[in-house]
Amino acid sequence: MARILALTTRILLRLFQVDRIEFLKHLLSHCAVDLLPFAYEQRGILKYKDGDSGEDFFVKCVLPNCLGDNPVIIDVGANRGAFSSLVHSVFPKASIFAFEPNPCLREILQVHVATYASIYNVAVGPSAGTMILYNSVDTQNSEHGSGYKAVLTAMHGYAEVIETEVETIKLGDFIEEKCPKGVDFLKIDTEGNELGVLQGCIDQIEMKRIRIIQFEFNEMNVISRAFLRDFFEVLQDYDIYRLDTNSLIRVFYTPRAEIFQFQNFVAVLSTDSASSIIQDHSVAGW
Protein backbone atom coordinates (compact mmCIF):
# COMPACT_ATOMS: atom_id res chain seq x y z
CA MET A 1 0.00 0.00 0.00
CA ALA A 2 2.77 2.43 0.94
CA ARG A 3 4.67 1.77 -2.30
CA ILE A 4 1.55 2.29 -4.44
CA LEU A 5 0.81 5.51 -2.61
CA ALA A 6 4.37 6.70 -3.07
CA LEU A 7 4.32 6.01 -6.81
CA THR A 8 0.95 7.72 -7.22
CA THR A 9 2.18 10.75 -5.29
CA ARG A 10 5.28 11.13 -7.47
CA ILE A 11 3.23 10.91 -10.68
CA LEU A 12 0.72 13.50 -9.51
CA LEU A 13 3.40 15.89 -8.34
CA ARG A 14 5.22 15.76 -11.66
CA LEU A 15 2.06 15.88 -13.74
CA PHE A 16 0.46 18.87 -12.03
CA GLN A 17 3.63 20.52 -10.67
CA VAL A 18 2.08 20.70 -7.22
CA ASP A 19 4.14 21.67 -4.19
CA ARG A 20 5.00 18.44 -2.38
CA ILE A 21 4.41 19.69 1.15
CA GLU A 22 1.08 21.30 0.35
CA PHE A 23 -0.04 18.20 -1.50
CA LEU A 24 0.78 15.96 1.45
CA LYS A 25 -1.00 18.27 3.87
CA HIS A 26 -4.08 18.20 1.67
CA LEU A 27 -3.92 14.43 1.32
CA LEU A 28 -3.59 13.84 5.05
CA SER A 29 -6.56 16.08 5.78
CA HIS A 30 -8.84 13.96 3.60
CA CYS A 31 -7.77 10.38 4.32
CA ALA A 32 -6.76 8.27 7.27
CA VAL A 33 -3.41 7.09 5.92
CA ASP A 34 -0.38 7.05 8.19
CA LEU A 35 2.46 8.40 6.06
CA LEU A 36 5.00 8.41 8.85
CA PRO A 37 6.34 4.90 8.09
CA PHE A 38 6.66 5.92 4.45
CA ALA A 39 8.58 9.05 5.43
CA TYR A 40 10.86 6.99 7.64
CA GLU A 41 11.63 4.53 4.86
CA GLN A 42 12.78 7.35 2.62
CA ARG A 43 15.53 8.11 5.13
CA GLY A 44 16.80 4.61 5.89
CA ILE A 45 14.55 3.98 8.90
CA LEU A 46 12.46 0.79 9.34
CA LYS A 47 14.53 -0.97 6.69
CA TYR A 48 15.26 -4.23 8.45
CA LYS A 49 14.45 -6.77 5.74
CA ASP A 50 17.28 -8.70 4.07
CA GLY A 51 18.52 -6.83 1.02
CA ASP A 52 16.71 -3.67 2.12
CA SER A 53 18.63 -2.66 5.24
CA GLY A 54 21.73 -1.43 3.44
CA GLU A 55 23.98 -3.86 5.29
CA ASP A 56 24.79 -5.86 2.16
CA PHE A 57 25.46 -2.67 0.23
CA PHE A 58 27.79 -1.34 2.89
CA VAL A 59 29.78 -4.54 3.37
CA LYS A 60 30.03 -5.46 -0.31
CA CYS A 61 30.30 -2.07 -2.00
CA VAL A 62 31.79 0.34 0.54
CA LEU A 63 33.94 -1.58 3.01
CA PRO A 64 36.24 -3.11 0.35
CA ASN A 65 37.36 0.42 -0.46
CA CYS A 66 37.99 1.18 3.23
CA LEU A 67 39.73 -1.93 4.56
CA GLY A 68 42.71 -3.98 3.49
CA ASP A 69 42.69 -7.64 2.50
CA ASN A 70 43.06 -8.98 6.06
CA PRO A 71 41.14 -6.65 8.40
CA VAL A 72 40.36 -7.31 12.05
CA ILE A 73 36.58 -7.60 12.42
CA ILE A 74 34.57 -8.06 15.62
CA ASP A 75 30.96 -9.26 15.46
CA VAL A 76 29.20 -8.61 18.81
CA GLY A 77 25.82 -10.33 18.85
CA ALA A 78 26.75 -12.85 16.18
CA ASN A 79 23.53 -14.84 16.64
CA ARG A 80 23.47 -17.58 13.95
CA GLY A 81 26.46 -16.14 12.13
CA ALA A 82 24.82 -14.36 9.20
CA PHE A 83 26.89 -11.19 9.52
CA SER A 84 30.16 -13.04 10.11
CA SER A 85 29.41 -15.09 7.01
CA LEU A 86 28.73 -11.94 5.02
CA VAL A 87 32.01 -10.23 5.94
CA HIS A 88 33.93 -13.48 5.41
CA SER A 89 32.54 -13.73 1.87
CA VAL A 90 33.96 -10.27 1.14
CA PHE A 91 37.13 -10.54 3.24
CA PRO A 92 38.15 -14.22 3.21
CA LYS A 93 41.48 -13.39 4.89
CA ALA A 94 39.95 -11.35 7.70
CA SER A 95 40.49 -12.12 11.36
CA ILE A 96 36.90 -12.43 12.61
CA PHE A 97 35.92 -12.62 16.27
CA ALA A 98 32.28 -13.58 16.88
CA PHE A 99 30.58 -13.06 20.27
CA GLU A 100 27.29 -14.75 21.12
CA PRO A 101 26.24 -15.55 24.71
CA ASN A 102 23.00 -17.39 23.95
CA PRO A 103 23.64 -21.06 24.81
CA CYS A 104 20.82 -22.11 22.49
CA LEU A 105 22.70 -20.70 19.50
CA ARG A 106 26.14 -22.10 20.21
CA GLU A 107 25.90 -25.20 18.05
CA ILE A 108 24.28 -23.29 15.18
CA LEU A 109 26.95 -20.60 15.27
CA GLN A 110 29.67 -23.22 15.47
CA VAL A 111 28.39 -24.97 12.36
CA HIS A 112 28.12 -21.73 10.38
CA VAL A 113 31.34 -19.87 11.19
CA ALA A 114 33.81 -22.03 13.12
CA THR A 115 35.97 -22.71 10.06
CA TYR A 116 36.92 -19.05 9.63
CA ALA A 117 35.98 -17.18 12.85
CA SER A 118 36.97 -17.36 16.50
CA ILE A 119 33.83 -17.87 18.59
CA TYR A 120 33.36 -16.57 22.13
CA ASN A 121 30.27 -17.67 24.04
CA VAL A 122 30.17 -14.63 26.32
CA ALA A 123 28.23 -11.40 26.49
CA VAL A 124 29.91 -8.04 25.99
CA GLY A 125 29.09 -5.08 28.18
CA PRO A 126 30.35 -2.11 30.18
CA SER A 127 32.02 -4.34 32.78
CA ALA A 128 33.28 -7.89 33.29
CA GLY A 129 31.32 -10.34 35.43
CA THR A 130 27.97 -12.04 34.82
CA MET A 131 24.52 -11.01 33.64
CA ILE A 132 21.10 -12.56 33.10
CA LEU A 133 20.21 -13.31 29.49
CA TYR A 134 16.49 -13.50 28.78
CA ASN A 135 15.06 -15.67 26.04
CA SER A 136 11.76 -17.12 24.90
CA VAL A 137 10.55 -20.38 26.43
CA ASP A 138 8.96 -21.51 23.17
CA THR A 139 11.79 -20.57 20.81
CA GLN A 140 15.00 -20.83 22.78
CA ASN A 141 17.09 -20.30 19.67
CA SER A 142 15.34 -17.01 19.04
CA GLU A 143 17.24 -14.07 17.60
CA HIS A 144 15.70 -11.94 20.34
CA GLY A 145 17.77 -12.98 23.36
CA SER A 146 18.46 -9.86 25.44
CA GLY A 147 19.80 -8.65 28.74
CA TYR A 148 16.54 -6.77 29.19
CA LYS A 149 13.46 -8.82 30.06
CA ALA A 150 11.05 -6.20 28.70
CA VAL A 151 12.64 -6.54 25.25
CA LEU A 152 11.19 -10.06 25.17
CA THR A 153 7.87 -9.36 26.87
CA ALA A 154 6.97 -5.80 25.89
CA MET A 155 8.67 -5.50 22.50
CA HIS A 156 8.46 -9.02 21.09
CA GLY A 157 5.34 -10.15 22.95
CA TYR A 158 6.61 -13.36 24.54
CA ALA A 159 4.35 -14.48 27.39
CA GLU A 160 7.09 -16.42 29.16
CA VAL A 161 10.85 -16.12 29.20
CA ILE A 162 13.71 -18.15 30.58
CA GLU A 163 16.70 -16.73 32.44
CA THR A 164 20.29 -17.85 31.93
CA GLU A 165 23.29 -16.49 33.75
CA VAL A 166 26.11 -15.80 31.29
CA GLU A 167 29.62 -14.43 31.55
CA THR A 168 30.28 -10.85 30.45
CA ILE A 169 33.52 -9.22 29.34
CA LYS A 170 34.64 -5.69 28.51
CA LEU A 171 35.45 -5.42 24.85
CA GLY A 172 38.33 -3.11 25.67
CA ASP A 173 40.06 -5.87 27.64
CA PHE A 174 39.62 -8.24 24.72
CA ILE A 175 40.99 -5.75 22.21
CA GLU A 176 44.09 -5.13 24.33
CA GLU A 177 44.79 -8.86 24.51
CA LYS A 178 43.76 -10.13 21.07
CA CYS A 179 43.89 -7.08 18.78
CA PRO A 180 46.99 -5.13 19.81
CA LYS A 181 47.06 -3.22 16.50
CA GLY A 182 43.45 -2.17 16.80
CA VAL A 183 40.14 -3.09 15.18
CA ASP A 184 39.19 -2.22 11.62
CA PHE A 185 35.47 -2.90 11.88
CA LEU A 186 33.19 -3.47 14.87
CA LYS A 187 29.57 -4.52 14.41
CA ILE A 188 27.14 -4.46 17.38
CA ASP A 189 23.65 -5.98 17.45
CA THR A 190 22.71 -6.77 21.05
CA GLU A 191 18.98 -6.09 21.43
CA GLY A 192 19.32 -2.86 23.38
CA ASN A 193 22.81 -3.23 24.88
CA GLU A 194 24.73 -1.51 22.07
CA LEU A 195 25.66 1.48 24.21
CA GLY A 196 26.90 -0.82 26.97
CA VAL A 197 29.23 -2.53 24.51
CA LEU A 198 30.71 0.83 23.50
CA GLN A 199 31.10 1.89 27.12
CA GLY A 200 33.16 -1.24 27.68
CA CYS A 201 35.73 -0.12 25.10
CA ILE A 202 35.64 3.63 25.69
CA ASP A 203 39.41 3.81 26.15
CA GLN A 204 40.03 2.19 22.76
CA ILE A 205 37.49 4.52 21.16
CA GLU A 206 39.20 7.57 22.65
CA MET A 207 42.59 6.25 21.54
CA LYS A 208 41.12 5.91 18.04
CA ARG A 209 41.91 2.20 17.86
CA ILE A 210 38.54 1.23 16.36
CA ARG A 211 38.21 2.58 12.84
CA ILE A 212 34.59 1.84 11.84
CA ILE A 213 31.64 0.89 14.03
CA GLN A 214 28.23 -0.35 12.92
CA PHE A 215 25.45 -0.42 15.52
CA GLU A 216 21.68 -0.73 15.69
CA PHE A 217 19.39 1.84 17.25
CA ASN A 218 15.70 1.01 17.65
CA GLU A 219 12.77 0.62 20.01
CA MET A 220 14.89 -1.61 22.28
CA ASN A 221 16.66 1.56 23.40
CA VAL A 222 13.43 2.66 25.07
CA ILE A 223 13.88 -0.30 27.40
CA SER A 224 17.62 0.24 27.93
CA ARG A 225 17.12 4.01 28.36
CA ALA A 226 19.80 4.81 25.78
CA PHE A 227 19.31 7.92 23.65
CA LEU A 228 20.94 8.54 20.30
CA ARG A 229 22.60 11.51 21.98
CA ASP A 230 24.47 9.03 24.22
CA PHE A 231 26.00 7.38 21.16
CA PHE A 232 27.04 10.72 19.70
CA GLU A 233 28.71 11.66 22.97
CA VAL A 234 30.67 8.39 23.12
CA LEU A 235 31.59 8.69 19.43
CA GLN A 236 32.64 12.34 19.38
CA ASP A 237 35.61 11.68 17.07
CA TYR A 238 33.47 9.87 14.51
CA ASP A 239 31.29 10.89 11.57
CA ILE A 240 27.96 9.09 11.85
CA TYR A 241 25.78 7.84 9.02
CA ARG A 242 22.52 5.95 8.75
CA LEU A 243 22.49 3.03 6.34
CA ASP A 244 19.96 3.11 3.53
CA THR A 245 19.42 0.40 0.94
CA ASN A 246 22.03 1.68 -1.53
CA SER A 247 23.58 4.65 0.22
CA LEU A 248 24.51 6.21 3.54
CA ILE A 249 22.80 9.25 5.03
CA ARG A 250 24.93 11.64 7.08
CA VAL A 251 23.37 12.32 10.47
CA PHE A 252 24.10 15.28 12.72
CA TYR A 253 22.63 15.18 16.17
CA THR A 254 19.52 17.14 17.06
CA PRO A 255 16.67 16.06 19.38
CA ARG A 256 14.69 15.48 16.20
CA ALA A 257 16.97 12.50 15.49
CA GLU A 258 15.66 10.62 18.54
CA ILE A 259 13.55 8.17 16.53
CA PHE A 260 13.13 4.85 18.33
CA GLN A 261 12.57 2.80 15.20
CA PHE A 262 14.90 0.34 13.48
CA GLN A 263 18.05 1.99 12.14
CA ASN A 264 21.55 0.81 11.29
CA PHE A 265 24.24 3.40 11.95
CA VAL A 266 27.84 3.48 10.80
CA ALA A 267 30.43 5.57 12.64
CA VAL A 268 33.81 6.19 11.02
CA LEU A 269 36.75 7.98 12.59
CA SER A 270 36.86 11.49 11.18
CA THR A 271 40.64 11.29 10.77
CA ASP A 272 40.63 7.87 9.11
CA SER A 273 41.25 7.41 5.40
CA ALA A 274 37.90 5.63 5.20
CA SER A 275 36.08 8.82 6.17
CA SER A 276 36.27 10.45 2.74
CA ILE A 277 35.40 7.15 1.02
CA ILE A 278 32.25 6.72 3.08
CA GLN A 279 31.37 10.37 2.55
CA ASP A 280 31.49 9.80 -1.21
CA HIS A 281 28.76 7.16 -0.82
CA SER A 282 26.55 9.39 1.32
CA VAL A 283 23.71 11.83 0.81
CA ALA A 284 22.46 14.67 2.99
CA GLY A 285 19.99 13.62 5.65
CA TRP A 286 18.26 14.36 8.91
Side-chain angles (χ1 to χ4, degrees):
M1 178 63 182
R3 295 185 184 278
I4 295 175
L5 180 61
L7 179 60
T8 303
T9 301
R10 292 192 187 100
I11 293 174
L12 289 173
L13 291 177
R14 292 177 180 177
L15 185 61
F16 296 103
Q17 297 183 344
V18 179
D19 180 79
R20 181 178 62 177
I21 300 301
E22 292 303 318
F23 175 81
L24 290 175
K25 287 180 180 178
H26 185 75
L27 178 64
L28 286 172
S29 67
H30 287 84
C31 62
V33 177
D34 183 7
L35 292 180
L36 188 57
F38 167 72
Y40 281 163
E41 287 185 4
Q42 306 313 300
R43 309 310 294 169
I45 303 172
L46 290 176
K47 291 193 171 180
Y48 48 81
K49 296 179 181 179
D50 291 341
D52 196 37
S53 69
E55 198 166 69
D56 279 7
F57 160 76
F58 183 68
V59 173
K60 294 178 180 179
C61 301
V62 181
L63 272 187
N65 300 312
C66 301
L67 308 182
D69 292 334
N70 53 350
V72 175
I73 297 173
I74 296 180
D75 182 0
V76 178
N79 209 270
R80 293 173 170 84
F83 188 83
S84 289
S85 297
L86 173 62
V87 292
H88 172 69
S89 69
V90 179
F91 302 98
K93 297 180 181 179
S95 297
I96 301 174
F97 302 95
F99 291 84
E100 177 52 58
N102 191 338
C104 303
L105 295 173
R106 289 176 183 174
E107 290 187 9
I108 298 173
L109 183 62
Q110 186 79 17
V111 168
H112 288 170
V113 309
T115 58
Y116 54 81
S118 299
I119 300 173
Y120 295 86
N121 300 125
V122 296
V124 180
S127 60
T130 62
M131 62 171 282
I132 298 299
L133 181 72
Y134 298 93
N135 211 338
S136 165
V137 170
D138 298 325
T139 55
Q140 294 185 23
N141 63 342
S142 166
E143 297 180 357
H144 302 144
S146 175
Y148 297 93
K149 185 176 182 179
V151 166
L152 276 295
T153 57
M155 295 298 174
H156 295 302
Y158 293 117
E160 297 181 75
V161 297
I162 57 173
E163 302 178 6
T164 305
E165 186 177 64
V166 298
E167 179 186 357
T168 62
I169 68 163
K170 287 178 61 177
L171 189 59
D173 295 339
F174 178 86
I175 292 172
E176 291 304 308
E177 179 182 354
K178 301 290 186 179
C179 314
K181 295 183 179 180
V183 176
D184 293 293
F185 183 62
L186 165 63
K187 166 261 182 183
I188 313 171
D189 178 5
T190 52
E191 295 289 301
N193 191 42
E194 288 78 7
L195 183 62
V197 173
L198 294 177
Q199 290 170 335
C201 58
I202 189 67
D203 291 341
Q204 288 68 35
I205 289 173
E206 291 178 350
M207 290 186 292
K208 302 181 180 181
R209 297 189 60 211
I210 306 176
R211 298 177 59 199
I212 304 172
I213 302 171
Q214 179 183 326
F215 63 93
E216 282 194 7
F217 184 85
N218 51 38
E219 60 269 27
M220 313 308 169
N221 295 95
V222 174
I223 304 299
S224 60
R225 303 293 195 270
F227 288 91
L228 189 60
R229 178 182 178 182
D230 299 321
F231 289 88
F232 272 78
E233 288 184 347
V234 170
L235 301 171
Q236 292 182 23
D237 294 324
Y238 290 74
D239 298 329
I240 298 180
Y241 299 82
R242 185 187 301 120
L243 284 183
D244 202 353
T245 304
N246 294 302
S247 67
L248 296 101
I249 300 170
R250 182 71 187 273
V251 179
F252 297 92
Y253 183 78
T254 69
R256 182 188 184 195
E258 298 287 359
I259 301 171
F260 292 93
Q261 298 292 317
F262 179 88
Q263 302 171 68
N264 256 326
F265 285 99
V266 168
V268 55
L269 272 170
S270 303
T271 56
D272 194 278
S273 59
S275 178
S276 60
I277 296 171
I278 290 177
Q279 185 178 14
D280 289 341
H281 289 84
S282 71
V283 297
W286 48 267

